[in-house]
Each structure stands twice: as structure tokens, then as C-alpha cells.
């Protein structure tokens, strides 16, 4: 069944937001641990998609995600896996380095996933809606109109504005671009919690997630950095002959290239995340 939108109703307490697990089992294990330590129930843990990706353990990641019971929407990778496509659908420029790397990791992921995992992926919706602290919230991958749209902090507001108009949301939670950021304008908030499967090109191996909190009765959010066993994640990639450039990024925190980044974000490479 193709579910376009799942409405979770009203959520309260803390809500854990994250994206881009990218087949990084060590990062997912650590995030699940954090959720449990903070008493955040699985139904309040929401992923912006791309559970599967560059790293070495796609099958283990999908199965752990299922066991955990967290929520997710479809990322472009899940759509391509569900549809039996030949590439990741990341919208990389043909012949680019990212395009070349995807021709290594995407077939690897396809070869590792069981029917059980593919069946689970097929149940994921395109978007999730919920209410939290009096606000209407919509979760998208790229943006509401295009799963593979790269939306950054520097992306012009009028492009973001169309998403609020189309969804009726007060808050858009988005993923895909790999960088955490938030932007507020005219009472609307665009929030990208970042991804846990790869560093944010900031020179640190730590990765990013966010937590919503309504404990004082109003809408609050905070970005968090996460330490995890990135050395093991790197070793798994080495053993499985996956792109060494991505394996190196797990350790250096620097992307192999900035082909997809606008000038503003590209210029911040290695300088830390500006929130």
C-alpha cells in the first residue's frame, strides 16, 4: 500500500528527530541508547529518511530500526530500493564524484537487504504530520514537492515558504542535505536535525540530531552532537570494499567533495556548524 501521509496525532514530551542513518549501525545503536536513557518512547522518535546509504550494514540497520519501533518517512534511497531502481535517486549530477560513489554503495545495499527489510521499507510514508506544543508539524525528506530537493540554510526563503503554504504546517522538519540547521521567519520554522550516518562536513566525526521539548508548555528545540563508535563504522566499510572516501569522512568529519553545496555552505567546510 502506498501511504502518502501518516498522521501521528498529537505528541507530547520529548521528540527525537534525526535523518540519514545511511546503513551506519554503530550510529543507530548509539542514538537508540540515547533515546532510551532520556525516556523518549519509540513513537516519539522520527527519522527524515535515508535509513539505508553509504555505510556497511544496511540489513542490520533496517532490522534494528524495525525492532526499535521508531517512525520514518521514505528517503530517496528507500524509494529507489522499493522500486528496484538502478541508482540511489540522490539527484547527483551525472558523472560527478557522488554519482560515481553511488554506483558502488547502492548495488551493495541492494544485495544485502532481505525481503523482510524491503517489505518494511515499502510500508514507509512520503510524509509524516503531527501536532506538538500547539504547532502543526510536517516531516519531509528533501522538500514537500521533491524528495531529492537539496534545501540548505542559504536556500532562499520563498522556496521554503511554498512548503508551508502547501502543507499548512507551522514547522517543517526536513532531511536530505546532510547539514543541521534551523531558520525562523514569520512564525514559521524550517528545522533540519542533521544526519547520524555521516559527519556534517564540520571537521568532527561526531554527528547530529535534534530534540523537541514541550516541558515548559511552549515549542522548543535543540540541536545535539553525538559521539559514537565511528572507528568501527569505518572498519566495516573497509572490510566490505565500500568507497574509501566515505569511510575516511567518518573519521575526518570532512566530505570528499562539496559538489552539492551552495557557496555559503561550501565555505564553512571544516569550520564547525553555525547554528
Amino acid at each position: 500500500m502506498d501511504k502518502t501521509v501518516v498522521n501521528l496525532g498529537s505528541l507530547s514530551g520529548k521528540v527525537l528527530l534525526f535523518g540519514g542513518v545511511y546503513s551506519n549501525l554503530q550510529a543507530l545503536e548509539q542514538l537508540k541508547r540515547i533515546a532510551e536513557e532520556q525516556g523518549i518512547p519509540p513513537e516519539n522518535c522520527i527519522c527524515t529518511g535515508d535509513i539505508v546509504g553509504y555505510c556497511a550494514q544496511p540489513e542490520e540497520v533496517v532490522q534494528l530500526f524495525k525492532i526499535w519501533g521508531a517512525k520514518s518517512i521514505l528517503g530517496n534511497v528507500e524509494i529507489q530500493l522499493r522500486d528496484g531502481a538502478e541508482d540511489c535517486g540522490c539527484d547527483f549530477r551525472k558523472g560527478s564524484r557522488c554519482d560515481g560513489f553511488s554506483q558502488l554503495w547502492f548495488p551493495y545495499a541492494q544485495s544485502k537487504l532481505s525481503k523482510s527489510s524491503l517489505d518494511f521499507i515499502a510500508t514507509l510514508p512520503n510524509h509524516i504530520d503531527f501536532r506538538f506544543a500547539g504547532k502543526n508539524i510536517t516531516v519531509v525528506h528533501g522538500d514537500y514537492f521533491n524528495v531529492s530537493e537539496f534545501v540548505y540554510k542559504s536556500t532562499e526563503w520563498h522556496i521554503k515558504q511554498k512548503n508551508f503554504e502547501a502543507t499548512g504546517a507551522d514547522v517543517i522538519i526536513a532531511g536530505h542535505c546532510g547539514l543541521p540547521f534551523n531558520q525562523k521567519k514569520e512564525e514559521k520554522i524550517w528545522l533540519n536535525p542533521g544526519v547520524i550516518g555521516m559527519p556534517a562536513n564540520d571537521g568532527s566525526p561526531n554527528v547530529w540530531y535534534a530534540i523537541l521539548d514541550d516541558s515548559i508548555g511552549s515549542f522548543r528545540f535543540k540541536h545535539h552532537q553525538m559521539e559514537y563508535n565511528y572507528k568501527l563504522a569505518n572498519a566495516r566499510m573497509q572490510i566490505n570494499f565500500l568507497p574509501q572516501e566515505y569511510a575516511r569522512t567518518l573519521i575526518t568529519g570532512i566530505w570528499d567533495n562539496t559538489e552539492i553545496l551552495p557557496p555559503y555552505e561550501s565555505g564553512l567546510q571544516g569550520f564547525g556548524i553555525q547554528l
Side-chain angles (χ1 to χ4, degrees):
M1 184 174 73
D2 180 19
K3 297 182 294 180
T4 304
V5 183
V6 164
N7 193 310
L8 302 180
S10 291
L11 301 181
S12 59
K14 289 181 178 178
V15 176
L16 176 67
L17 303 171
F18 62 102
V21 184
Y22 299 148
S23 306
N24 187 330
L25 180 63
Q26 292 69 40
L28 186 63
E29 287 173 335
Q30 178 62 16
L31 189 71
K32 180 174 178 285
R33 204 171 292 127
I34 288 169
E36 289 162 356
E37 286 168 358
Q38 298 215 14
I40 305 175
E43 58 270 24
N44 278 28
C45 299
I46 301 173
C47 177
T48 61
D50 286 353
I51 299 169
V52 176
Y54 318 114
C55 296
Q57 294 177 276
E59 174 66 10
E60 294 89 337
V61 158
V62 175
Q63 291 300 321
L64 179 60
F65 204 98
K66 278 177 65 178
I67 292 164
W68 182 13
K71 307 294 183 187
S72 184
I73 60 171
L74 289 161
N76 49 277
V77 176
E78 281 80 40
I79 290 172
Q80 299 297 89
L81 288 166
R82 179 194 70 187
D83 296 348
E86 292 182 6
D87 62 53
C88 65
C90 301
D91 211 16
F92 297 140
R93 184 172 50 79
K94 199 78 178 158
S96 67
R97 284 180 71 78
C98 290
D99 182 49
F101 296 148
S102 72
Q103 290 170 30
L104 296 173
W105 67 257
F106 186 77
Y108 170 85
Q110 279 182 313
S111 74
K112 296 292 182 186
L113 289 171
S114 63
K115 184 177 185 302
S116 158
S117 289
L118 291 170
D119 287 347
F120 171 74
I121 284 168
T123 69
L124 301 177
N126 292 321
H127 307 111
I128 286 173
D129 290 340
F130 63 99
R131 276 189 66 78
F132 184 81
K135 294 188 182 293
N136 293 322
I137 301 177
T138 296
V139 183
V140 303
H141 183 63
D143 75 3
Y144 180 72
F145 308 100
N146 178 9
V147 70
S148 296
E149 189 71 35
F150 290 107
V151 177
Y152 299 94
K153 189 160 192 173
S154 68
T155 301
E156 292 183 20
W157 184 261
H158 73 86
I159 292 170
K160 296 167 180 148
Q161 179 65 31
K162 290 175 184 173
N163 287 261
F164 293 106
E165 291 167 0
T167 60
D170 302 304
V171 182
I172 300 273
I173 309 293
H176 190 55
C177 78
L179 301 176
F181 71 90
N182 65 80
Q183 196 172 15
K184 184 174 182 180
K185 197 166 184 178
E186 296 158 3
E187 298 306 304
K188 303 292 187 185
I189 301 170
W190 189 285
L191 174 59
N192 192 317
V195 298
I196 64 165
M198 279 276 159
N201 199 32
D202 55 355
S204 166
N206 296 339
V207 292
W208 290 85
Y209 64 96
I211 292 179
L212 305 182
D213 190 347
D214 66 353
S215 59
I216 60 167
S218 61
F219 179 88
R220 293 188 300 161
F221 65 88
K222 187 175 181 184
H223 293 274
H224 297 270
Q225 269 190 299
M226 182 178 86
E227 296 180 13
Y228 76 102
N229 192 346
Y230 62 87
K231 290 180 180 175
L232 180 53
N234 166 274
R236 294 283 187 192
M237 289 190 75
Q238 306 270 5
I239 292 165
N240 289 284
F241 305 108
L242 285 156
Q244 293 306 296
E245 294 82 358
Y246 287 153
R248 197 176 305 123
T249 292
L250 291 176
I251 289 176
T252 65
I254 298 290
W255 294 1
D256 168 76
N257 64 82
T258 56
E259 292 170 326
I260 64 167
L261 294 180
Y264 173 76
E265 281 78 10
S266 183
L268 292 175
Q269 183 175 49
F271 283 99
I273 291 294
Q274 316 288 312
L275 291 168

